[in-house]
Amino acid sequence: MRIKLMQQSNSANRGKRKSDFNKSGSWKIIPLGEAQNRSYDAVFQQVNATMLHVPAYMLTTGPVPAYPEVLRALGQPVSYDYTDAFQSFYQSVIEKLAQVMRTGNQPVIMQGEAILGIEAAAAGLITRQDVVLNLVSGVYGKGFGPWAARYGREVIELAVDYDDVIDPQPVETALKQRPDISIIAVCHHDTPSGTLNPLAEIGAIAARHGAYLIVDAVSSFGGMDVHPETVHADIFITSPSKCLGSTPGLTLAALSDRAWQKMASNPDAPRASFLSLLDWKEAWRAGNAFPVTPSVAEIYALNAALDLYLAEGAANVWARHAKTAQIAREGVKALGLDLWPRQEAYVSPTATVFKVPDGISDVALRDLMLRDHDVLVSLGRKDTAGKVLRIGHMGASAQPEFAAKTIEALAAALKKLKI
């Protein structure tokens, strides 16, 4: 299809109807055959008609709604990444991220959704001599196993049912029985289950043993008091698109000094690769080369999200998440439904997972809430698929009134389904 670029020109278009042009005067691409015959308003009406509907209340477990300030930042003009201005800006974002993550080292931003960072941690830190203890309490913990097996000598799995959490004592026992365990991997919050592992206790055990600790904190960081250095994490992976309320597309990673040293001495650690953490180690400093073109718009969005987090104050952000979760949990229980975690002490402040009542479809219940109330929640995933619904309360959706609206929609949907 041939295309024609059209832009408003004040000199060439005097006297034309206002509706003939995009009010912003920005470039738009439309089919050449239609360019002379269609006003910009008509083109934009067609574009808007094809946009996906975003529910008024999107309480999913990720992606989650982005804050309006983040969306505005995302729409800024894209800068060339090798200008002095952008490189200084990028360094300032890294320094701000270090402040938010409370880490002494400069963190890394990888140019892909957080699963990239988790796989990169396995590829870079795990050597052919390493024995990895993989702690499994849910879908994402289980998912780390194949990566660990790809790079390490042996993987030992310590697993519990997916409505349970890892008990620190068996971790201690495993390390005593197998003193050659050199790396421990754990998912802090497994969103398909809504359970929260005792990360501080696990981290303390790893530190006493001298094992390296890889932490998936994708859906916990920013929504509660958890930071890389306080839990003794050597690689701590999180995302801007969960509790920070930004958009998918980046990995945020904090690494300890000894993790950097171990990767540098690992001949198999990725280099000159999209999976390479090492390639990004010094890229934060203005004047240094980027390994690949950074996602400029995503960096703008992250910066806005970090500003919001700092302005609200970390403790206030955590309290908002906790309050929203409490309303969701109490509402679910008041409707006579059961939480998925076997003990309420295991629940997360960033997601509420409950069992779907016998005799109804999880999809039917979710769709009824969406159709009648414009409330969207998440289905289960893999082992919890068909068994649960998940109410996410992270970032912009961590609002007490959103949780109340969700419970209202859930109650109405259950009534209509005669439950």
Side-chain angles (χ1 to χ4, degrees), residues 172 175 198-210 213 230-233:
E172 187 94 62
L175 293 172
L199 181 57
E201 292 87 343
I202 292 168
I205 292 169
R208 287 197 300 271
H209 180 76
L213 181 64
T230 57
V231 299
H232 306 283

Side-chain angles (χ1 to χ4, degrees), residues 102-117:
R102 301 185 182 181
T103 178
N105 289 340
Q106 301 300 341
V108 164
I109 301 173
M110 297 188 79
Q111 311 303 303
E113 197 272 337
I115 204 72
L116 168 66

Side-chain angles (χ1 to χ4, degrees), residues 117-123 126 132-136 138-151 155 183-187 214-216:
I118 297 170
E119 184 175 357
I126 301 172
V132 180
L133 177 64
N134 189 35
L135 307 181
V136 176
V139 169
Y140 292 119
K142 182 74 171 180
F144 187 80
W147 291 326
R150 182 184 304 164
Y151 301 108
V155 177
I183 294 177
I184 300 172
V186 62
C187 178
I214 299 174
V215 174
D216 171 351

Side-chain angles (χ1 to χ4, degrees), residues 65-297:
Y67 292 109
E69 294 89 344
V70 167
L71 295 178
R72 284 197 291 271
L74 197 65
Q76 292 180 74
V78 174
S79 171
Y80 179 54
D81 58 323
Y82 277 101
T83 62
D84 291 342
F86 181 80
Q87 292 210 321
S88 295
F89 169 74
Y90 186 89
Q91 178 172 329
S92 74
V93 174
I94 292 288
E95 291 169 345
K96 193 179 298 180
L97 180 58
Q99 179 185 355
V100 169
M101 297 184 82
R102 301 185 182 181
T103 178
N105 289 340
Q106 301 300 341
V108 164
I109 301 173
M110 297 188 79
Q111 311 303 303
E113 197 272 337
I115 204 72
L116 168 66
I118 297 170
E119 184 175 357
L125 195 69
I126 301 172
T127 72
R128 299 176 190 181
Q129 293 76 42
D130 282 315
V131 176
V132 180
L133 177 64
N134 189 35
L135 307 181
V136 176
S137 60
V139 169
Y140 292 119
K142 182 74 171 180
F144 187 80
W147 291 326
R150 182 184 304 164
Y151 301 108
R153 174 165 65 89
E154 181 184 358
V155 177
I156 300 168
E157 184 178 279
L158 196 165
V160 297
D161 293 338
Y162 287 4
D163 60 353
D164 203 353
V165 298
I166 299 295
D167 183 345
Q169 186 54 53
V171 178
E172 187 94 62
T173 300
L175 293 172
K176 290 178 180 177
Q177 293 174 345
R178 289 292 303 269
D180 56 341
I181 291 172
S182 50
I183 294 177
I184 300 172
V186 62
C187 178
H188 187 204
H189 171 225
D190 223 302
T191 53
S193 303
T195 50
L196 196 66
N197 281 310
L199 181 57
E201 292 87 343
I202 292 168
I205 292 169
R208 287 197 300 271
H209 180 76
Y212 292 83
L213 181 64
I214 299 174
V215 174
D216 171 351
V218 170
S219 60
S220 60
F221 176 76
M224 62 193 77
D225 185 3
V226 59
H227 300 90
E229 294 179 4
T230 57
V231 299
H232 306 283
D234 290 289
I235 302 185
F236 183 99
I237 302 295
T238 191
S239 168
S241 66
K242 301 280 190 169
C243 301
L244 291 177
S246 190
T247 51
L250 299 176
T251 290
L252 312 179
L255 290 86
S256 68
D257 287 334
R258 68 179 197 146
W260 284 121
Q261 292 163 7
K262 182 170 168 50
M263 283 195 298
S265 65
N266 178 11
D268 297 322
R271 293 168 172 83
S273 164
F274 203 61
L275 276 177
S276 177
L277 283 160
L278 288 168
D279 289 355
W280 286 96
K281 185 175 187 294
E282 298 297 334
W284 68 274
R285 197 184 303 275
N288 289 349
F290 295 117
V292 298
T293 301
S295 302
V296 173

Side-chain angles (χ1 to χ4, degrees), residues 390-410:
R390 300 180 289 155
I391 303 170
H393 20 79
M394 306 179 217
S397 66
Q399 306 290 344
E401 58 271 26
F402 283 21
K405 175 65 177 178
T406 302
I407 297 303
E408 177 186 315
L410 177 59

Side-chain angles (χ1 to χ4, degrees), residues 234-415:
D234 290 289
I235 302 185
F236 183 99
I237 302 295
T238 191
S239 168
S241 66
K242 301 280 190 169
C243 301
L244 291 177
S246 190
T247 51
L250 299 176
T251 290
L252 312 179
L255 290 86
S256 68
D257 287 334
R258 68 179 197 146
W260 284 121
Q261 292 163 7
K262 182 170 168 50
M263 283 195 298
S265 65
N266 178 11
D268 297 322
R271 293 168 172 83
S273 164
F274 203 61
L275 276 177
S276 177
L277 283 160
L278 288 168
D279 289 355
W280 286 96
K281 185 175 187 294
E282 298 297 334
W284 68 274
R285 197 184 303 275
N288 289 349
F290 295 117
V292 298
T293 301
S295 302
V296 173
E298 295 281 355
I299 303 300
Y300 292 159
L302 171 62
N303 182 61
L306 296 175
D307 283 342
L308 290 171
Y309 185 87
L310 291 169
E312 185 174 356
N316 293 327
V317 175
W318 306 335
R320 174 164 53 83
H321 281 75
K323 181 64 174 178
T324 307
Q326 181 185 10
I327 292 171
R329 286 196 306 273
E330 295 302 321
V332 164
K333 292 188 295 180
L335 293 174
L337 302 175
D338 294 323
L339 298 173
W340 174 259
R342 64 176 59 178
Q343 292 186 32
E344 195 163 342
Y346 300 163
V347 300
S348 168
T350 57
T352 296
V353 181
F354 64 91
K355 298 177 183 177
V356 175
D358 293 337
I360 68 170
S361 158
D362 58 331
V363 174
L365 181 56
R366 179 204 62 178
D367 290 353
L368 195 55
M369 293 172 67
L370 178 60
R371 187 193 71 191
D372 290 356
H373 302 276
D374 213 19
V375 172
L376 180 62
V377 297
S378 291
L379 300 172
R381 184 173 175 84
K382 292 191 176 180
D383 292 58
T384 63
K387 303 173 184 176
V388 304
L389 286 183
R390 300 180 289 155
I391 303 170
H393 20 79
M394 306 179 217
S397 66
Q399 306 290 344
E401 58 271 26
F402 283 21
K405 175 65 177 178
T406 302
I407 297 303
E408 177 186 315
L410 177 59
L414 290 170
K415 184 177 181 180

Side-chain angles (χ1 to χ4, degrees), residues 36-91:
Q36 287 80 12
N37 301 319
R38 299 179 61 196
S39 71
Y40 278 104
D41 282 353
V43 173
F44 292 137
Q45 287 170 9
Q46 180 180 8
V47 170
N48 288 336
T50 63
M51 291 178 66
L52 296 177
H53 170 66
V54 177
Y57 300 91
M58 195 172 90
L59 284 90
T60 49
T61 54
V64 305
Y67 292 109
E69 294 89 344
V70 167
L71 295 178
R72 284 197 291 271
L74 197 65
Q76 292 180 74
V78 174
S79 171
Y80 179 54
D81 58 323
Y82 277 101
T83 62
D84 291 342
F86 181 80
Q87 292 210 321
S88 295
F89 169 74
Y90 186 89
Q91 178 172 329

